[in-house]
Amino acid sequence: MPHVLLIEDDASVRDGMELVLRRHGYGVDTAATGEQALALLDGPDGARVELAVLDLMLPGIDGFEVCRRIRARTATLPVIMLTARGDDRDIVTGLEAGADDYVVKPVTAPVLEARIRAALRRAEPSGPVRGAETDPAGLVIDRAGLTVTKRGVPIALPPTELRLLLELSASPGRVFSREQLLASVWDHTFLGDSRIVDAAVGRLRAKLEDVPAKPRYVQTVRGFGYRFGPL
C-alpha cells in the first residue's frame, strides 16, 4: 500500500484529502508545517513515505523551501506541489525547487489521485533494459541499473528527471514535442502544462551540461520541442 506524506496547514483541507486518500487505499502521514514534515522524514517513519503532497503556502518555512530541503535529502522521493494561486511565478518557482508536478487548488479527488498514481509510476523502474551508453565527454546512462554518471561521478536524478532523460536518450536526434513528453513521462493524458516539461529540462541541464546555456545533450528545437544530442 503506497504511503503518502500530506503537508497542508488548513485542517479542513488536510482532513478531507487524508480521508480521500485512505479510501483509495493509501497510507497517510500528515504535517501542518514544513518543519513537522521534515522532522517526520528525518525520523524513523520517514522511510515508509513514498510520495509527498506539499502545500505551497505554509506557516514558517514555505513550500518552496520545504521542497528544496527534501531534494537536498533525497533525489528519489516524488513531490507534488499544491498551489492556490496558480500564477506563473509560483508554479515555475515550485518546479525549479524540485517538484515533480503541481496541482492548482481547489482540486477534485479524482485529479489528485490520478496525479499521485502517475507520480508513483514514474518512480518505478521502467524502460528497455539495455547496456550502458556513454559519450566522449564522460556521460554514462546505465539503462539497466537506472544510474547516470558523468566523468565517473554519480548524478542523482529524481524519478521524473530520470524518466525524461531515458525517454529522450532512447532516440538520439529525435525531436519530442512538449505534449509528447507530458504524455510519456508525466502520464498526463489530460490537458497538461508545458511549464512542467520546461522546468524539468532546466533542472536536467543544470546537472548534466558543462555549460547549461549551451546544452550538448538536452537540446531545444525552437518551435517544436526537445531532442537528445547523439552520444
Side-chain angles (χ1 to χ4, degrees):
M1 179 171 62
H3 207 94
V4 174
L5 172 57
L6 177 60
I7 311 165
E8 167 63 62
D9 66 312
D10 188 312
S12 61
V13 174
R14 186 174 65 247
D15 291 346
M17 288 184 175
E18 180 181 7
L19 179 61
V20 166
L21 292 175
R22 289 191 182 278
R23 283 178 174 174
H24 281 84
Y26 295 93
V28 182
D29 284 318
T30 62
T33 67
E35 290 86 349
Q36 290 177 4
L38 294 171
L40 187 149
L41 288 171
D42 288 339
D45 293 334
R48 69 186 182 188
V49 175
E50 298 174 60
L51 179 141
V53 178
L54 171 62
D55 186 27
L56 178 60
M57 304 304 295
L58 295 170
I61 58 175
D62 63 19
F64 298 133
E65 183 60 25
V66 174
C67 189
R68 294 186 189 100
R69 295 189 188 186
I70 289 175
R71 280 290 163 257
R73 288 162 166 80
T74 173
T76 60
L77 182 69
V79 177
I80 298 176
M81 187 168 283
L82 300 178
T83 172
R85 292 180 293 188
D87 60 74
D88 288 353
R89 184 176 63 180
D90 284 347
I91 292 170
V92 170
T93 303
L95 293 170
E96 290 178 345
D100 296 280
D101 199 354
Y102 72 89
V103 177
V104 177
K105 296 192 293 186
V107 56
T108 64
V111 169
L112 178 61
E113 209 266 327
R115 294 290 186 98
I116 290 173
R117 287 199 315 270
L120 289 171
R121 283 196 295 272
R122 292 196 297 274
E124 297 173 351
S126 70
V129 177
R130 291 159 38 187
E133 300 169 356
T134 185
D135 79 329
L139 180 68
V140 179
I141 303 169
D142 185 344
R143 306 184 74 84
L146 297 178
T147 61
V148 180
T149 61
K150 182 139 184 217
R151 302 185 181 98
V153 179
I155 299 176
L157 296 177
T160 298
E161 292 171 33
L162 179 57
R163 282 185 175 264
L164 177 59
L165 177 60
L166 292 174
E167 181 74 13
L168 290 169
S169 63
S171 303
R174 175 186 170 186
V175 178
F176 292 83
S177 70
R178 291 169 176 82
E179 291 73 20
Q180 288 173 318
L181 293 171
L182 279 169
S184 60
V185 176
W186 281 264
D187 197 22
H188 283 195
T189 53
F190 50 88
L191 181 62
D193 192 323
S194 64
R195 288 174 294 189
I196 297 176
V197 180
D198 296 338
V201 166
R203 297 196 306 267
L204 196 55
R205 284 174 173 166
K207 296 169 185 176
L208 298 184
E209 306 286 356
D210 291 332
V211 183
K214 297 179 180 179
R216 169 190 177 94
Y217 303 112
V218 184
Q219 303 170 353
T220 300
V221 180
R222 191 174 300 276
F224 292 93
Y226 298 103
R227 70 181 171 205
F228 192 82
L231 288 178

